[in-house]
């Protein structure tokens, strides 16, 4: 049972968080390029698609903490420090994505569609929040593998 849950948890992390990382990182430069090219419909379409990938896979990504909590409870490790820290960091990453990254992407997509331009500063701020999101979940991945303080640690 533990093996199945853990496999699904890791699979969900790869399948869901991977695409969000790539698409979210590509979004700010793609938005700047689309703005530079006037109202190039293809470039705006790319930006819209990147946002859609982020939104859809963020939804799929909810499975990661759900399966993680199930794995942790079956293993009886939910109280361990490394896991409590991981849960807090996962919540912080989800918060940054839901409160800053996705809404700002949406604003930029609308601006591009409406007036074919974006404010340079807003793409820079978005890139900052995207970097923070990536840093948070990458830290969680390291914690998941190293499990500091755990006797089953790597
Ligand atoms: C609420 C959040 C989460 C919980 C409760 C959770 C829980 C767990 C548990 C209990 C394990 C098994 C550790 C062991 O074998 O002793 C695990 C492994 C793992 N988790 Fe998570 N997890 C969470 C979020 C994440 C996130 C956000 C990622 C990456 C995006 C992630 C990636 C991994 C990976 C790669 C492993 C395999 C580590 C290994 O076996 O070497 N987890 N997780």
């Amino acid at each position: 049972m533990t093996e199945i849950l853990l496999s699904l948890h890791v699979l969900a992390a790869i399948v869901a968080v991977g695409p969000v990382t790539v698409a979210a990182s590509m979004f700010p430069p793609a938005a700047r390029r689309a703005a530079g090219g006037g109202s190039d419909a293809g470039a705006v379409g790319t930006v819209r698609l990147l946002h859609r990938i982020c939104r859809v896979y963020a939804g799929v990504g909810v499975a990661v903490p759900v399966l993680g909590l199930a794995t942790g409870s079956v293993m009886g490790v939910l109280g361990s420090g490394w896991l409590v820290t991981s849960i807090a960091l996962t919540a912080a990453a989800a918060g940054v994505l839901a409160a800053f990254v996705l809404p700002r992407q949406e604003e930029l997509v609308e601006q591009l569609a409406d007036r074919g331009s974006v404010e340079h500063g807003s793409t820079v701020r978005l890139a900052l929040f995207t970097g923070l999101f990536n840093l948070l979940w990458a830290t969680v991945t390291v914690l998941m593998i190293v499990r500091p303080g755990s006797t089953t640690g790597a």
Side-chain angles (χ1 to χ4, degrees), residues 6 9-10 13 17 64-65 68-69 71-72 75 77-78 82-83 86-87 90 137 140-141 144-145 147 152:
L6 181 57
H9 171 61
V10 177
V17 185
V64 177
L69 288 169
T71 311
M75 293 175 75
V77 291
L78 280 186
W82 67 271
L83 198 50
S86 304
I87 293 171
T90 301
W137 84 255
V140 174
T141 307
M144 296 273 138
I145 293 166
R147 282 166 268 153
T152 61

Side-chain angles (χ1 to χ4, degrees), residues 104-125:
R104 277 161 199 250
Q105 283 184 352
E106 202 166 315
E107 274 169 32
L108 290 176
V109 168
E110 276 167 20
Q111 283 175 20
L112 279 171
D114 288 349
R115 50 184 163 89
S117 69
V118 289
E119 201 193 309
H120 182 78
S122 55
T123 64
V124 174
R125 276 191 298 278

Side-chain angles (χ1 to χ4, degrees), residues 5-15:
L5 283 172
L6 181 57
S7 304
L8 291 174
H9 171 61
V10 177
L11 202 65
I14 294 168
V15 171

Side-chain angles (χ1 to χ4, degrees), residues 1-153:
M1 186 63 185
T2 311
E3 282 89 352
I4 296 173
L5 283 172
L6 181 57
S7 304
L8 291 174
H9 171 61
V10 177
L11 202 65
I14 294 168
V15 171
V17 185
V20 176
T21 308
V22 176
S25 302
M26 287 173 74
F27 187 99
R32 277 196 289 273
R33 261 197 308 277
S39 53
D40 179 350
V44 177
T46 303
V47 176
R48 204 185 285 278
L49 176 67
L50 289 173
H51 171 58
R52 201 173 130 73
I53 293 171
C54 290
R55 193 160 39 82
V56 170
Y57 283 87
V60 179
V62 173
V64 177
V66 171
L67 289 163
L69 288 169
T71 311
S73 96
V74 170
M75 293 175 75
V77 291
L78 280 186
S80 24
W82 67 271
L83 198 50
V84 173
T85 311
S86 304
I87 293 171
L89 291 177
T90 301
V96 169
L97 191 66
F100 297 105
V101 177
L102 294 176
R104 277 161 199 250
Q105 283 184 352
E106 202 166 315
E107 274 169 32
L108 290 176
V109 168
E110 276 167 20
Q111 283 175 20
L112 279 171
D114 288 349
R115 50 184 163 89
S117 69
V118 289
E119 201 193 309
H120 182 78
S122 55
T123 64
V124 174
R125 276 191 298 278
L126 174 61
L128 241 132
F129 282 117
T130 305
L132 180 62
F133 166 75
N134 288 340
L135 204 65
L136 283 167
W137 84 255
T139 308
V140 174
T141 307
V142 173
L143 275 178
M144 296 273 138
I145 293 166
V146 178
R147 282 166 268 153
S150 162
T151 48
T152 61

